Amino acid sequence: MTRTHLTQRLALLGACGALAAGGALLPSTALAAPATPQVTAAQTIQELPAHEARPKEVVKTRITITERVLRDGRVKVVTVKTITRVTKDHHGKVIKKSVKTITTVKIRPAPDEE
């Protein structure tokens, strides 16, 4: 079994501390940077193919309301809400599709006619 010497342990601890301190100083120095725009950094971020490869989700909502007067004068209101979610990959191929339908029925009293 190999043993590490005290000097090796201290050197490793110092290196880890330096990396942690450098990581903590990096965001604070970024805030202190001059206000000149850095166009090259923005262009490299936009050109990464990883952003384009994410699946895209499209949500469509359709609401249908129908009213019907019953024989006794009351009004029946039926609301149908259809939510369609389609997830496509970066080629436009459908990966996942889900359809959720919510139906609500309300019966309202007859309107007062004077």
Side-chain angles (χ1 to χ4, degrees), residues 64-70 75-79 106 108:
T64 307
I65 301 173
T66 55
E67 294 183 1
R68 195 174 111 209
V69 179
L70 301 176
V75 178
K76 181 179 182 179
V77 180
V78 179
T79 305
K106 293 182 181 178
R108 299 196 173 146

Side-chain angles (χ1 to χ4, degrees), residues 59-62 81-85 98-102:
V59 179
K60 294 181 184 177
T61 304
R62 193 173 114 207
K81 184 177 182 180
T82 306
I83 302 169
T84 306
R85 293 180 185 265
S98 67
V99 179
K100 182 178 182 181
T101 303
I102 303 168

Side-chain angles (χ1 to χ4, degrees), residues 16-86:
C16 291
L19 284 175
L25 290 176
L26 184 63
S28 65
T29 56
L31 293 175
T36 58
Q38 296 180 357
V39 179
T40 56
Q43 288 176 350
T44 53
I45 290 174
Q46 292 176 356
E47 293 176 2
L48 291 176
H51 294 291
E52 299 171 4
R54 285 190 229 156
K56 296 177 184 169
E57 185 175 80
V58 178
V59 179
K60 294 181 184 177
T61 304
R62 193 173 114 207
I63 299 174
T64 307
I65 301 173
T66 55
E67 294 183 1
R68 195 174 111 209
V69 179
L70 301 176
R71 287 187 213 168
D72 57 357
R74 296 182 298 167
V75 178
K76 181 179 182 179
V77 180
V78 179
T79 305
V80 179
K81 184 177 182 180
T82 306
I83 302 169
T84 306
R85 293 180 185 265
V86 178

